Amino acid sequence: MPDHTLSILKDLYHADEYTLLDGDKTASVQPSFGVRQGCPLSPLLFAIYFNDIDSIADGVKGALTGTPNFLVTHMLFADDLCLMSSDPYHKQTMLNKLRAYAQRKSLTVNTQKSEVMCLNSYTSNLPPRFYDGVQLPYTDSFKYLGMVCDRHINLNTAADAALRPFTAGTFCIRQFIRGNDIKQVTHMHVAP
């Protein structure tokens, strides 16, 4: 990175300070690393810093897809990472490489939020998966970027999960209309 660009970024974060509130207690914090929450530049800075994450998939066979000879090793959006492989050995290899990568980049993987799922598996005799010595739990489904995926690749599971908030919202609107004895509702659509 050019020196002048690095200087601008350092100036942007120089003397950065936050006030933490907990009831009546307050504390002033000056972060020494990371990106600013809510800053429009933060996702770009993180993407630049994280752009070599593909290295954890070097020499690893990814998961099969519907396209012949097209394998997927990972999906990444911001700091949400999903590792995939059809080979059980390669799954652990990627976790080990992720640990080394995170250590090199001074990143932390939250093992409390990390899970393992085997697609189309009908056995409960699955090998344990570890990240930095912590055994990761197996799950039957997980949510990635708002979409619920289950181990049997059942799209009804995803559709039901997507429909649930809509149904709840519709119910709340109906209750509001009935509770306030609203007889006529004007529908309006404003197009930009």
Side-chain angles (χ1 to χ4, degrees):
M1 178 178 291
D3 289 340
H4 67 279
T5 305
L6 189 56
S7 177
I8 290 170
L9 291 174
K10 284 181 179 179
D11 287 346
L12 184 69
Y13 282 84
H14 177 71
D16 201 12
E17 189 172 347
Y18 300 96
T19 302
L20 301 177
L21 301 172
D22 182 17
D24 295 335
K25 300 179 214 169
T26 63
S28 182
V29 177
Q30 290 184 318
S32 57
F33 56 87
V35 293
R36 287 182 177 166
Q37 286 290 101
C39 175
L41 190 56
S42 294
L44 176 62
L45 292 175
F46 186 77
I48 291 169
Y49 187 70
F50 210 57
N51 75 342
D52 59 345
I53 188 67
D54 291 351
S55 65
I56 68 168
D58 289 344
V60 171
K61 180 181 175 189
L64 300 172
T65 65
T67 304
N69 300 319
F70 185 75
L71 304 176
V72 177
T73 55
H74 61 284
M75 296 186 296
L76 172 69
F77 182 80
D79 63 348
D80 286 329
L81 176 64
C82 180
L83 303 177
M84 294 176 286
S85 176
S86 296
D87 183 318
Y89 172 77
H90 287 179
K91 290 175 192 169
Q92 186 61 55
T93 299
M94 280 195 289
L95 287 168
N96 296 342
K97 287 183 174 188
L98 177 61
R99 181 184 176 275
Y101 178 87
Q103 200 169 27
R104 189 171 64 253
K105 294 280 194 165
S106 298
L107 297 170
T108 303
V109 172
N110 187 344
T111 55
Q112 299 293 317
K113 292 183 175 180
S114 300
E115 298 173 314
V116 179
M117 185 171 78
C118 278
L119 297 175
N120 287 328
S121 175
Y122 292 94
T123 180
S124 58
N125 188 20
L126 299 168
R129 296 286 166 240
F130 295 91
Y131 179 84
D132 197 19
V134 175
Q135 185 171 347
L136 302 177
Y138 275 91
T139 184
D140 289 336
S141 67
F142 73 98
K143 195 174 197 177
Y144 185 72
L145 302 181
M147 183 175 168
V148 175
C149 305
D150 79 344
R151 69 185 182 131
H152 301 296
I153 314 172
N154 183 347
L155 292 180
N156 287 334
T157 303
D160 289 346
L163 189 58
R164 213 170 290 126
F166 173 77
T167 304
T170 304
F171 177 77
C172 288
I173 292 169
R174 188 178 305 125
Q175 291 298 99
F176 176 79
I177 291 171
R178 288 180 182 156
N180 291 289
D181 200 30
I182 299 172
K183 301 291 183 206
Q184 183 177 355
V185 178
T186 305
H187 298 276
M188 182 170 61
H189 175 74
V190 178

